Amino acid sequence: YLISRSLGPALGAGVGLCFYMANSIGAAMYFMGCVEAWEIAQPNYQIGEIGDLNNVRFTGYLILVFAVFIIFGGIKYVSRLGTVFLMVVLFVILCMYVGCLMGPTDGRPSTFTVPIVAENGTTFEKTLTWTGPSAQSFSDNWKSAWDAPQLAFPKDTTEYSFVNMMGLYFPSVTGIMAGANRSADLADPTKSIPKGTLFAQMFTSFIYLSFIFVFGSVAPRETLLNDKFFAATSAFPLKEVVIYGVMASSLGAGLNSLVSGTKLLSAIAGDGPLPILRFFKATPGKEPRLALLASGALCALSITIGELNAIAPLLT
């Protein structure tokens, strides 16, 4: 709305649609992240084979249908769940910090194995280690090694560089936009948005940057490259705390992204810069359900890709 009034409706609609697609595709990324955590949490209760793209797709579709039904019940319920998911995330982050700083214990041994799915579909166990806080690990991991081999994602054959890695990492640090996207629900947006956004930016930046140094200090590079859930392996008191916490936070982030995308599309349609979108305009006092179906369809198409590392650069 602000861009449309300041720079013209054409530019405002273009930016708004890009933002809408980013939210809908972002929901797919979060739901697929939830599937990856589910594969590790319950490997015996899967629709297909672990690591198979069809397993990610079909499980992701089921989660999407579940999310759409929740939002159909009322967007206000998603807002209420946000506080619950926030408490879960903060608790999981605390467990990750404590686990890394404590180092290996009897319940979290320094030597462990992770299942690796090879390109031909076979599975084997790989033995890895971690040390806890170590100056040697920090020194060994300080320099970049873009061409280092990794087995955590055997189907990912991308030749990484700083730019590629930036594209892969960037979507994970945009969660602060969830609050700005729901500014219409605030009692005093003029005061709440600047304060909330700045606090969220500083708080989350500290967490993201500190974990880069923490993980680089507690495990050799081979472990960080081959254990895609090392954050759970090193967590206190049990790795299941992080695994199920990731599932909860991913589901919450996906719900918020779907709600944000739905509201954006409905707002663009209501503003009227593109007549073709008038069907998605919500009646005052009614839920924007047509916009929700459109967001769900775009999310489903994104889930069809089936590869989390392919969606993240697209989202960037």
Side-chain angles (χ1 to χ4, degrees):
Y1 180 85
L2 292 176
I3 295 176
S4 296
R5 298 304 181 271
S6 303
L7 302 177
L11 186 59
V15 172
L17 284 175
C18 285
F19 201 30
Y20 154 72
M21 289 189 289
N23 277 276
S24 299
I25 297 173
M29 182 187 71
Y30 290 124
F31 292 151
M32 291 169 65
C34 185
V35 175
E36 285 198 356
W38 175 248
E39 286 183 334
I40 295 176
Q42 297 293 337
N44 297 323
Y45 296 93
Q46 304 295 321
I47 296 176
E49 296 292 330
I50 294 179
D52 183 50
L53 295 184
N54 287 328
N55 185 57
V56 176
R57 290 170 181 142
F58 290 122
T59 309
Y61 292 150
L62 291 177
I63 295 175
L64 173 60
V65 171
F66 172 72
V68 169
F69 272 110
I70 289 179
I71 300 173
F72 255 117
I75 290 178
K76 61 182 179 180
Y77 297 114
V78 178
S79 300
R80 292 174 182 174
L81 285 172
T83 303
V84 177
F85 289 126
L86 175 61
M87 295 299 104
V88 172
V89 170
L90 292 177
F91 176 71
V92 169
I93 290 173
L94 178 62
C95 291
M96 291 164 60
Y97 275 122
V98 173
C100 287
L101 295 178
M102 286 180 60
T105 61
D106 292 338
R108 300 172 298 117
S110 59
T111 301
F112 61 97
T113 60
V114 293
I116 302 293
V117 180
E119 292 186 40
N120 59 8
T122 60
T123 302
F124 64 94
E125 298 287 331
K126 184 171 181 61
T127 301
L128 300 172
T129 62
W130 70 297
T131 61
S134 166
Q136 184 63 46
S137 295
F138 184 87
S139 176
D140 293 342
N141 290 322
W142 180 253
K143 294 183 180 180
S144 61
W146 305 114
D147 57 347
Q150 59 86 21
L151 298 174
F153 301 94
K155 295 181 180 179
D156 184 4
T157 58
T158 304
E159 294 183 3
Y160 282 102
S161 63
F162 176 80
V163 175
N164 291 342
M165 190 59 68
M166 183 70 178
L168 185 66
Y169 188 72
F170 178 76
S172 67
V173 299
T174 57
I176 62 167
M177 296 308 299
N181 292 342
R182 292 159 58 187
S183 59
D185 300 328
L186 297 172
D188 190 352
T190 305
K191 292 183 178 180
S192 299
I193 290 177
K195 292 180 180 179
T197 302
L198 289 174
F199 174 77
Q201 178 65 57
M202 292 186 290
F203 184 67
T204 56
S205 294
F206 170 78
I207 292 174
Y208 292 130
L209 292 173
S210 64
F211 268 120
I212 292 175
F213 291 100
V214 169
F215 286 145
S217 301
V218 300
R221 190 187 301 270
E222 181 187 23
T223 299
L224 299 176
L225 285 170
N226 296 319
D227 183 3
K228 63 181 178 181
F229 250 92
F230 178 73
T233 302
S234 58
F236 175 85
L238 299 169
K239 66 178 183 181
E240 284 77 14
V241 172
V242 171
I243 293 174
Y244 287 107
V246 166
M247 290 175 60
S249 62
S250 296
L251 182 59
L255 283 168
N256 279 321
S257 292
L258 268 185
V259 169
S260 298
T262 298
K263 285 188 172 182
L264 281 166
L265 182 58
S266 179
I268 295 170
D271 200 30
L274 293 175
I276 195 173
L277 298 178
R278 65 183 183 275
F279 301 104
F280 301 111
K281 179 181 178 180
T283 305
K286 300 288 186 178
E287 298 283 357
R289 293 184 172 176
L290 285 178
L292 173 59
L293 291 177
S295 298
L298 180 55
C299 181
L301 288 174
S302 303
I303 291 175
T304 304
I305 296 174
E307 181 64 51
L308 189 63
N309 287 357
I311 285 186
L314 175 65
L315 189 57
T316 300

